[in-house]
Structures are given as C-alpha cells and as structure tokens.
Amino acid sequence: MFEKLVPKLRVNTVFDIALEELYQQGYRGIITDLDNTLVGAKAPLATPELLVWFQKVKELGFKLIIVSNNNMDRVSRFATPLGIEFVHQARKPINAPFHKAMKLMDLSPNQTIVVGDQMLTDVYGGNRLGLYTVLVLPISIKDEGIGTRFNRRVERIAQSRLRKKGLWHEEEKPQ
C-alpha cells in the first residue's frame, strides 16, 4: 500500500518539471491538481509565471486538464478564462476522474502525467492507474482546509514508514 504513495518524481514546483524530457519519453498529457499545485488554495487566478508555463506546455504539444477535488465555482473561475478543461469535485484518489481526464485528452495511461501536491490523492490515484506521478511541494499550506490538513498528517506517517523501508530518500527531497 505505502509503495503506491511514492511519486515517480519529486520537485519543488511545476516549473521544475523537465517537460521536454517527458515529451521525448512519449508523454502527451498532463493531469494537474489546482489548489497548492498550480496556485495557492485561495489564489483566484493564474500568476504571470504560471501563464508562461501553460504556454510552454501547449507549445511542446502537451494536452492539459485540471482535475480538482474542489467545487465547480472555484475550478471554473480559474480554468475557464484560460480555456483549460477541468474535472471538478473529482473525489481523488478514485479512478473515475483520472479516466475521465484521459478520455477528454484521448490518451492512455502510459502517455499521461499526474502533477499534484498530495500523496494521498494525486500520487496514489495516479500510481494505481500506472500514470507517471509528480509530487510538488504545496504552495500555501496555511490556506488549506481541514481535510487536506488531515491528509498531510497521514502523509508524514507514510513518509516515515517509507523511509524505514528505504523507499523515501531525503536526498531526493526538493530543496
């Protein structure tokens, strides 16, 4: 069970993902979380830096979709002005929102990357389906809701167990 919580890649932010390398490896789609992955949980709009990243994603040929456990209003206000498709109230880590996103992008699991800030939702959900999982550091922990705070506690326990099994190495921890 704990092994499914280990991402394929750990980075500080989405900006640290080597998109060109992943594209060369055959990945064509990115399923990304919204809150604390792309922007802080209370940030309503994309930052200028994130807009540049979205443009780079598009120019490289990636398809991109936001899959968020947040509500329609929150996700739509962020994604719609940018022309980004989304799945809201996803209930990650269940399989359905990941399957829906891949269907919308017309991609298979071996072509799909999942990017998120939570091991219990984004990484676990993606790993269960064989997707390439990327864990980023959360942008603004102080803005997280009670459910996410609970998940963070469970994640700390899981990381401790993974360290003991030799599956979570501190040298891999983002700087």
Side-chain angles (χ1 to χ4, degrees):
M1 155 70 187
F2 284 114
E3 291 80 8
K4 293 282 187 197
L5 297 174
V6 179
K8 304 286 187 291
L9 176 66
R10 291 163 54 194
V11 295
N12 288 336
T13 72
V14 295
F15 311 116
D16 300 318
I17 301 169
L19 294 171
E20 295 89 351
E21 289 178 26
L22 291 170
Y23 194 85
Q24 288 172 357
Q25 292 172 25
Y27 295 100
R28 295 297 182 261
I30 299 171
I31 296 172
T32 182
D33 180 45
L34 173 57
D35 294 323
N36 276 336
T37 297
L38 298 176
V39 294
K42 292 189 177 177
L45 303 172
T47 63
E49 187 180 24
L50 187 59
L51 293 174
V52 170
W53 187 78
F54 284 146
Q55 186 61 36
K56 180 179 178 182
V57 166
K58 185 177 180 181
E59 286 173 1
L60 285 170
F62 282 103
K63 296 176 183 179
L64 182 124
I65 188 165
I66 294 172
V67 175
S68 173
N69 286 348
N70 213 323
N71 63 51
M72 170 74 162
D73 186 53
R74 162 66 175 144
V75 184
S76 177
R77 282 187 194 199
F78 181 90
T80 301
L82 301 171
I84 297 173
E85 287 188 283
F86 62 90
V87 176
H88 66 286
Q89 293 177 320
R91 297 185 5 239
K92 293 177 289 182
I94 68 170
N95 292 345
F98 296 101
H99 283 299
K100 182 175 182 178
M102 286 187 288
K103 185 174 181 175
L104 287 168
M105 293 188 294
D106 193 28
L107 295 174
S108 63
N110 65 346
Q111 297 174 296
T112 307
I113 300 163
V114 175
V115 180
D117 67 301
Q118 290 190 63
M119 294 166 63
L120 295 179
T121 57
D122 308 302
V123 174
Y124 181 61
N127 280 346
R128 284 179 31 217
L129 293 174
L131 310 179
Y132 185 91
T133 52
V134 179
L135 182 67
V136 300
L137 293 176
I139 293 171
S140 181
I141 290 177
K142 68 181 177 2
D143 292 335
E144 293 180 334
I146 192 152
T148 303
R149 288 183 200 169
F150 175 80
N151 282 355
R152 298 277 182 224
R153 287 186 175 147
V154 174
E155 287 177 358
R156 284 192 292 276
I157 294 166
Q159 287 172 0
S160 174
R161 300 248 171 100
L162 288 165
R163 269 187 218 99
K164 288 177 184 172
K165 288 182 163 196
L167 298 172
W168 192 272
H169 305 284
E170 290 312 309
E171 61 269 18
E172 293 176 353
K173 186 177 178 182
Q175 302 295 322

